[in-house]
Amino acid sequence: MSEDTERSGEGTDYGEAILTADGVEFGERDAALLRAIDRTGSVATASAELERSRARALTRIETLEEAFGTLVERTRGGSGGGGSRLTAAAETLLTRYDRLQAALTAAARVPETVLEGTVTDVDGELATAETSVGEVRALRGREAIGDGDAVQLRIGADAATLSAAGEASGPDSTSARNRVQGTVTGVDRGETVRTVTVDIDGTAVIALVTAESASRLSLAAGRNVVVTWKATATRMVPVESSRER
């Protein structure tokens, strides 16, 4: 098992904590499932409590365990009855998740990277714009945005994931990830969260990472990194001046 990143994602005002290992993301729903199993001692009871199917819960646990190691020990019925309980690895995972979520919630304001661009393609709720860091896909939602329009793209620092250059996977078409490479120019040391500034061809992109992740990635000025973020975590808004042509 190799744990790649700790980050936050879209979903709350300050971002939802996300732990990632081998391409598998552990988030709020997964934490809730493990806690329910710990409380009830049963995958079936936990699933019912959370209004989920037992089959899907078991499938999800298997997926998580392929990336994070054994999380739930299950015993069949017998004289003492069957049941499920969390492993030490699961307890550690929940502790890390809680620490990251607490740190993100404590950040009263999440900084943003704002890019200027021109729309080159529209595909449903997503659109692509040419920017100073290259092509960026973003969520345009119901905005009346078309080819050739000038736009701003807003990327929350909590939505960005940092990986060591050469170790990050390529773009994932299903999640419409944006991927760019740059050089760290600064690391602002908060108590538990680091604000990292990455230079990409003269444009500063900001990301939030935990102290643990910053240490694991050896983040410091001059470090080459890959920044990835989902198109659905990037908001595209029209620049009003482009409407006045």
Side-chain angles (χ1 to χ4, degrees), residues 92-175:
T92 299
L93 186 62
L94 285 171
T95 297
R96 290 181 56 212
Y97 177 84
D98 288 342
R99 184 170 63 244
L100 177 59
Q101 185 63 70
L104 293 169
T105 301
R109 295 186 63 185
V110 174
E112 286 186 326
T113 297
V114 180
L115 303 175
E116 302 283 342
T118 302
V119 176
T120 58
D121 181 67
V122 176
D123 181 13
E125 291 190 340
L126 295 178
T128 302
E130 185 64 38
T131 75
S132 58
V133 302
E135 286 193 339
V136 174
R137 297 195 72 189
L139 185 68
R140 74 182 183 94
R142 298 182 179 179
E143 295 279 7
I145 292 173
D147 288 352
D149 282 349
V151 292
Q152 280 190 343
L153 299 98
R154 298 179 177 275
I155 310 159
D158 59 335
T161 298
L162 297 186
S163 303
E167 297 179 1
S169 60
D172 182 344
S173 60
T174 59
S175 59

Side-chain angles (χ1 to χ4, degrees), residues 187-196 207-212 214 219:
V187 180
D188 184 8
R189 295 176 173 272
E191 183 176 348
T192 54
V193 175
R194 304 290 189 256
T195 302
V196 184
L208 294 181
V209 302
T210 63
E212 184 176 348
L219 294 181

Side-chain angles (χ1 to χ4, degrees), residues 5-160:
T5 57
E6 296 180 359
R7 66 174 178 84
S8 61
E10 62 274 24
T12 67
D13 288 346
Y14 307 127
E16 174 196 338
I18 299 289
L19 302 178
T20 305
D22 295 335
V24 177
E25 294 185 344
F26 179 94
E28 182 179 6
R29 283 176 58 83
D30 300 315
L33 176 59
L34 291 187
R35 290 195 176 98
I37 293 171
D38 187 43
R39 184 171 58 254
T40 64
S42 165
V43 174
T45 303
S47 301
E49 183 180 284
L50 296 172
E51 299 183 346
R52 306 179 195 176
S53 75
R54 177 177 179 275
R56 288 187 178 181
L58 288 172
T59 298
R60 182 57 182 168
I61 291 170
E62 291 175 359
T63 298
L64 292 171
E65 289 185 331
E66 289 178 359
F68 294 96
T70 302
L71 302 176
V72 179
E73 290 183 348
R74 296 176 285 279
T75 57
R76 296 184 179 278
S79 59
S84 300
R85 67 183 182 88
L86 300 187
T87 65
E91 298 287 356
T92 299
L93 186 62
L94 285 171
T95 297
R96 290 181 56 212
Y97 177 84
D98 288 342
R99 184 170 63 244
L100 177 59
Q101 185 63 70
L104 293 169
T105 301
R109 295 186 63 185
V110 174
E112 286 186 326
T113 297
V114 180
L115 303 175
E116 302 283 342
T118 302
V119 176
T120 58
D121 181 67
V122 176
D123 181 13
E125 291 190 340
L126 295 178
T128 302
E130 185 64 38
T131 75
S132 58
V133 302
E135 286 193 339
V136 174
R137 297 195 72 189
L139 185 68
R140 74 182 183 94
R142 298 182 179 179
E143 295 279 7
I145 292 173
D147 288 352
D149 282 349
V151 292
Q152 280 190 343
L153 299 98
R154 298 179 177 275
I155 310 159
D158 59 335

